Amino acid sequence: MKKSRAVISLLLVAAIAGLMAYTVLIGFGKGHRGSYHNIKKGLDLAGGASITYQAVGEEPPTQEDLNDTKYKLQRRVDQYSTEAQVYTEGTDRLNIEIPGISGVAETNQILEDLGRPGSLYFIRQTDDAGKENYTLGVTEDGGVEYVLTKELDKIIADGDAVVTGTQVSDAKAGYQQDDMGNKQIVVSLTFNDEGREAFAAATTKAFSAKESIGIYYDGHFISVPSVQAAITDGRAVITGESSIEDAENLASTIRIGGLKVELERLRSQIVGAQLGQDAIRTSKFAGLIGFGLVAALMIVIYLLPGFAAVLALAIYILMMALVLNGFDITLTLPGIAGILLSIGMAVDANVIIFARIREELANGIGVKTAIKNGYSKALSAIIDGNVTTLIAAAVLAILGSGTVKGFAYTLAIGIILSMITSLFVTRFLMSIFYGLGLTNKKLYGIGRKRTPIRFVEKRKIFFAVSIALVLSGFVAMGVFKAREGNILNYSLDFVGGTSTSVSFNEDMSLEQIESQVIPVFTEVTGDSNVQIQKVAGSNEVIFKSAVLDTDKSTELSNQLVEKFSVDKDSITSETISSTISDEMKRDALIAVVVALILMLIYIWFRFKDIRFGASSVICLAHDVLVVLAFYAFARISVGSTFIACMLTIVGYSINATIVIFDRVRETLRTRSRQQTLAEVVNESVTDTLSRSIFTSLTTFFMVLALFIFGVASVKEFALPIMIGIICGAYSSVCLAGSIWYVLRKNSDSAAVKAAGSGKGGSSGKSGGQQSSKKKDDYSNLSKKERKERRRKEEEAKNKAKITV
């Protein structure tokens, strides 16, 4: 790039970055469009709508029906926000909390969309006497829609409501081919056994009379399809929707209208953030400190390329803010975890590239060619590392629910943006710097010789340490299970608790509540993780804590009356279920297992060796179990952020392991006949050691700043991730290569034995295998002689070796 073009390019980059910064920080127009202030925040950061439904009927619903209703309702409200929560309150109520809703109009729109869950009917067009049950009518605004000609109760009593929503097992939107071979949008319905028989009888009559069957929900017909055939197998499709979105909405409405428990709205209100402005402010400050530490580290270690990476990272953060705003994604603490992970991966990609550039410079290649070769050689490791994590994010987004989806969305966006900035933006900036005349090799750093560290030979020590850590976790969980009844310190997100509503005499800020009221709750309940919600437009505050028995509830009420002069009658308590249902746990577990299987397949495909994939999965399991052991020992509260923490650790660890395996694969292709498998692994791990250390440090600094400056809930979120970062670096460096070595060596030995037991009793060993076996055989030497022999072999091998 010529100097004039470099200057113009630099000015263009500065202008674009400046425009992005202005948009993110200030925004445009009256509503400050594009500003980070407009990013949707979750209940924990900004509050939202709280809607309570109560079961209708003389008999209270069974716990099984209530749980099923809760789960289906959760899937329904996920369309408003992936961070929406549904939990039971008392024995016959369901509470929905949807973040990012700040006004009555938005709440009313959601209430209208949800309608009255569990009130859906399939109604015949005419009764037995031939009189119509519904007909086309004119609405108040001049539109035309189907309306009932009789009272709904009479239609039900006459048996003309042929199928109820509870007899629909499932409803899904999709595509199918029509008789002409054209693709059409459909809603597929599946009925249970009772519904199959009723629907078969109803469609047989309707088909013979050339009539329709209307689907009636919450006072309106949502679809009136004509019957084209008698349907006796319990499966039907509805056609005629104009878009897949309309079909999705119809299917979702049928599912919610088919809930086993019929619900009516008891109350709706706007609740405030669970974390105060102080938490948001300190998190921003921590983010700035963390970014500053990362910037300083990158510039000190990688000089001019490090400076380019810092600029690219700043652009990445601006892009992330714009995308979160543009796609209307709700941001919560788990979402922040996904962003932190993607920032670490953005830095990681740059570190891999810079290490390669230094290697090229150390081999005497010019700066321009070294940059080109560095990007070329680092590409496979970057792609493989990011694609494996992207696979996990995609699976979690599709199969997960609630906070898992929120984490997956931000992680996926972050990965894509980090690849763009590291592969294109950083490279473009480095080309500009080179074009401006910054061509001295010293500005880019030059690799130096490093003797390979004998990781494989120390594998027994590493394996023993890891096994001890994992086992200690199981021991701790067993001890606490016997002592406290729970293997982990589950929060109300997992086990439920008590919701206490208190109306204070004055409007108290969240900071006042945290400093004055929360200590009272902690003292009485023994729960150090009490959640807070303020009800907008009133002095009411909702506290969610561990389950309170009658004595503790009475004591709490007395303390609140004594210390804050509240009216005792204004204090109400209800037992609430966990916000993370058993089905959500199941979905999260299935998503993680599927993601691991797909990652294993991808690694197998890319590396042509399933042992690389197996080693990666073993390392992931190790990291998760060690962090789980930390949760058990430290008794850190296990809540909604627990799943995000574990997923962050999995994503971070797999990326680090892939980088090392990519170097092992490369070294295998170029190794000499004299180089043993152990030497290949040692060399590869040593070559990537600086990357492993520096990437871990940059990500660790980001999370450390959150831990130091964040509020209590942020600290509990950051601490396990810090442990996971350390554990992930350890497993990638000390375990991954050694596990692969053991698997490779054992399978090779098995293959040799199988060949040796074949026809003619041939040993089946090639000359290379014999040579390798001989070289690895030190059994006839003393310990001192073996040590001296290895030293000489290392010296001979490393005479011309240059690493970073």
Side-chain angles (χ1 to χ4, degrees):
M1 185 182 289
K2 294 182 180 180
K3 191 169 185 176
S4 58
R5 287 182 60 190
V7 171
I8 294 172
S9 298
L10 184 61
L11 292 174
L12 181 62
V13 170
I16 294 173
L19 180 62
M20 291 171 63
Y22 179 85
T23 304
V24 171
L25 297 176
I26 300 175
F28 293 96
K30 187 176 180 180
H32 300 283
R33 293 190 304 274
S35 169
Y36 77 96
H37 293 288
N38 293 329
I39 295 176
K40 272 192 173 182
K41 303 177 184 68
L43 280 165
D44 50 0
L45 301 178
S50 176
I51 304 166
T52 304
Y53 286 99
Q54 187 165 31
V56 176
E58 296 179 2
E59 295 292 329
T62 65
Q63 191 61 47
E64 182 182 356
D65 288 346
L66 206 59
N67 288 339
D68 180 65
T69 302
K70 179 175 71 171
Y71 177 64
K72 290 181 178 178
L73 205 55
Q74 176 73 57
R75 304 293 290 192
R76 169 71 170 181
V77 298
D78 276 349
Q79 67 177 311
Y80 305 112
S81 169
T82 58
E83 306 300 333
Q85 297 178 345
V86 182
Y87 55 89
T88 59
E89 187 178 282
T91 58
D92 61 351
R93 295 179 185 176
L94 281 169
N95 200 75
I96 304 171
E97 292 179 347
I98 305 174
I101 307 301
S102 57
V104 176
E106 287 181 275
T107 305
N108 288 338
Q109 182 61 51
I110 290 172
L111 288 169
E112 184 178 334
D113 292 342
L114 286 176
R116 184 175 174 180
S119 58
L120 182 134
Y121 302 93
F122 288 70
I123 299 176
R124 293 170 55 188
Q125 183 176 345
T126 60
D127 59 21
D128 292 335
K131 295 182 179 179
E132 289 187 328
N133 289 313
Y134 55 83
T135 187
L136 283 172
V138 180
T139 61
E140 294 180 358
D141 58 1
V144 177
E145 68 175 23
Y146 282 95
V147 294
L148 292 176
T149 58
K150 308 172 184 177
E151 293 293 329
L152 178 61
D153 290 341
K154 178 170 175 53
I155 291 174
I156 296 172
D158 292 343
D160 290 332
V162 290
V163 178
T164 64
T166 58
Q167 295 170 329
V168 180
S169 298
D170 198 10
K172 294 180 180 178
Y175 298 92
Q176 74 171 21
Q177 287 188 335
D178 59 19
D179 296 336
M180 303 296 293
N182 299 317
K183 188 166 69 172
Q184 63 179 349
I185 300 169
V186 299
V187 175
S188 303
L189 303 180
T190 305
F191 297 90
N192 59 22
D193 291 340
E194 184 183 1
R196 177 175 57 79
E197 294 180 9
F199 197 66
T203 53
T204 299
K205 289 182 181 179
F207 178 62
S208 62
K210 293 184 172 51
E211 293 183 349
S212 60
I213 293 181
I215 304 175
Y216 190 76
Y217 169 66
D218 196 35
H220 299 278
F221 281 94
I222 57 175
S223 181
V224 184
S226 58
V227 179
Q228 304 296 319
I231 301 169
T232 59
D233 62 353
R235 297 178 181 275
V237 294
I238 301 172
T239 60
E241 296 301 318
S242 58
S243 67
I244 190 65
E245 289 78 16
D246 290 342
E248 290 278 8
N249 189 57
L250 175 59
S252 182
T253 302
I254 292 174
R255 287 196 300 270
I256 195 173
L259 295 175
K260 292 181 180 179
V261 179
E262 187 172 338
L263 305 171
E264 66 178 5
R265 179 163 57 95
L266 187 65
R267 62 175 179 266
S268 60
Q269 55 197 11
I270 304 297
V271 295
Q274 293 171 349
L275 299 177
Q277 289 299 316
D278 187 51
I280 299 174
R281 181 182 57 79
T282 55
S283 296
K284 289 179 186 176
F285 179 71
L288 291 173
I289 295 296
F291 182 83
L293 290 172
V294 170
L297 185 67
M298 291 294 292
I299 293 171
V300 168
I301 295 173
Y302 293 106
L303 307 176
L304 185 62
F307 178 66
V310 170
L311 294 179
L313 190 60
I315 292 173
Y316 160 81
I317 293 172
L318 294 174
M319 290 170 64
M320 174 62 83
L322 291 173
V323 171
L324 289 174
N325 217 327
F327 285 89
D328 211 22
I329 293 174
T330 303
L331 188 62
T332 61
L333 279 179
I336 292 172
I339 295 174
L340 285 175
L341 177 54
S342 60
I343 288 176
M345 296 182 72
V347 174
D348 181 37
N350 286 308
V351 169
I352 296 170
I353 294 165
F354 300 159
R356 289 291 194 171
I357 292 173
R358 287 187 169 187
E359 289 180 11
E360 296 296 304
L361 292 174
N363 288 329
I365 297 174
V367 172
K368 188 174 182 179
T369 306
I371 293 174
K372 180 181 177 181
N373 292 349
Y375 272 89
S376 177
K377 290 185 176 182
L379 186 61
S380 62
I382 293 171
I383 290 177
D384 289 337
N386 283 277
V387 168
T388 49
T389 312
L390 196 57
I391 287 172
V395 173
L396 293 170
I398 295 170
L399 299 181
S401 57
T403 56
V404 175
K405 276 186 180 290
F407 170 84
Y409 288 153
T410 53
L411 176 58
I413 292 170
I415 291 170
I416 295 170
L417 294 181
S418 71
M419 289 185 69
I420 292 172
T421 52
S422 59
L423 293 177
F424 299 103
V425 177
T426 307
R427 186 170 188 175
F428 187 59
L429 290 171
M430 290 179 68
S431 297
I432 291 174
F433 293 151
Y434 185 85
L436 291 173
L438 302 174
T439 59
N440 192 323
K441 286 187 177 182
K442 293 181 179 179
L443 294 173
Y444 297 84
I446 301 175
R448 59 184 179 84
K449 295 180 181 180
R450 179 178 288 121
T451 302
I453 302 171
R454 305 175 69 81
F455 289 103
V456 172
E457 286 73 13
K458 296 180 175 63
R459 64 184 181 277
K460 291 183 180 179
I461 298 174
F462 297 138
F463 291 171
V465 170
S466 295
I467 291 171
L469 288 173
V470 172
L471 290 179
S472 67
F474 286 112
V475 171
M477 286 186 277
V479 170
F480 283 110
K481 174 68 174 177
R483 185 187 300 172
E484 300 178 2
N486 284 318
I487 59 175
L488 299 172
N489 180 23
Y490 294 110
S491 74
L492 61 89
D493 291 325
F494 275 87
V495 297
T498 299
S499 175
T500 304
S501 176
V502 184
S503 293
F504 290 93
N505 296 325
E506 58 181 359
D507 185 20
M508 300 180 72
S509 67
L510 278 175
E511 284 68 30
Q512 288 177 308
I513 296 168
E514 288 174 350
S515 62
Q516 300 174 29
V517 185
I518 291 298
V520 176
F521 271 82
T522 301
E523 181 183 350
V524 175
T525 65
D527 185 358
S528 59
N529 297 286
V530 180
Q531 297 180 9
I532 317 165
Q533 286 181 333
K534 289 189 65 180
V535 178
S538 71
N539 296 337
E540 183 182 356
V541 182
I542 301 170
F543 299 87
K544 297 176 185 176
S545 64
V547 176
L548 298 177
D549 56 28
T550 305
D551 292 338
K552 286 186 177 180
S553 182
T554 302
E555 182 184 352
L556 179 63
S557 297
N558 292 336
Q559 291 269 12
L560 292 171
V561 170
E562 179 184 342
K563 295 186 176 181
F564 302 100
S565 302
V566 299
D567 183 357
K568 195 168 186 176
D569 293 335
S570 73
I571 303 173
T572 59
S573 296
E574 284 283 357
T575 300
I576 58 175
S577 71
S578 59
T579 55
I580 299 175
S581 64
D582 291 337
E583 290 85 357
M584 290 173 68
K585 294 178 204 173
R586 181 201 64 200
D587 289 347
L589 182 60
I590 291 173
V592 171
V593 171
V594 172
L596 288 176
I597 292 172
L598 291 180
M599 285 192 287
L600 176 63
I601 294 172
Y602 176 80
I603 296 169
W604 184 8
F605 170 76
R606 285 287 291 162
F607 287 82
K608 313 299 182 191
D609 186 346
I610 196 172
R611 289 163 295 198
F612 282 114
S615 304
S616 301
V617 172
I618 291 171
C619 286
L620 291 182
H622 164 271
D623 296 342
V624 168
L625 290 175
V626 171
V627 175
L628 196 62
F630 176 76
Y631 267 101
F633 273 109
R635 306 309 287 169
I636 292 177
S637 177
V638 176
S640 60
T641 58
F642 169 77
I643 296 174
C645 286
M646 288 300 184
L647 296 175
T648 302
I649 291 157
V650 168
Y652 188 84
S653 181
I654 189 68
N655 190 58
T657 304
I658 289 296
V659 172
I660 291 175
F661 283 162
D662 181 79
R663 186 60 70 97
V664 171
R665 175 178 57 179
E666 180 181 324
T667 308
L668 282 173
R669 287 197 291 257
T670 59
R671 73 166 171 159
S672 64
R673 293 174 65 88
Q674 291 76 31
Q675 194 175 17
T676 65
L677 206 58
E679 290 168 346
V680 168
V681 174
N682 290 335
E683 178 184 329
S684 302
V685 176
T686 305
D687 286 350
T688 55
L689 186 60
S690 61
R691 171 262 155 212
S692 299
I693 294 173
F694 295 144
T695 301
S696 298
L697 278 177
T698 51
T699 314
F700 187 84
F701 283 162
M702 289 292 295
V703 185
L704 178 63
L706 284 174
F707 178 74
I708 294 174
F709 299 103
V711 294
S713 55
V714 175
K715 289 178 186 288
E716 287 199 343
F717 162 74
L719 185 57
I721 291 184
M722 284 170 25
I723 300 299
I725 291 170
I726 296 171
C727 186
Y730 165 78
S731 67
S732 299
V733 172
C734 301
L735 299 180
S738 295
I739 293 172
W740 176 82
Y741 170 80
V742 171
L743 294 177
R744 171 74 178 258
K745 191 175 180 182
N746 289 343
S747 59
D748 285 351
S749 298
V752 170
K753 287 180 181 178
S757 62
K759 242 178 176 180
S762 169
S763 68
K765 295 177 186 177
S766 68
Q769 288 170 325
Q770 291 173 342
S771 172
S772 177
K773 180 173 177 57
K774 184 178 179 181
K775 189 168 183 66
D776 281 334
D777 185 11
Y778 298 99
S779 57
N780 295 325
L781 303 177
S782 66
K783 186 175 180 181
K784 184 176 182 181
E785 289 172 332
R786 288 199 298 269
K787 187 175 181 180
E788 180 63 20
R789 180 171 168 179
R790 287 194 181 99
R791 186 186 66 78
K792 289 180 178 179
E793 287 173 353
E794 292 292 346
E795 285 181 356
K797 187 172 79 68
N798 287 306
K799 279 183 179 178
K801 175 164 179 58
I802 299 174
T803 63
V804 178

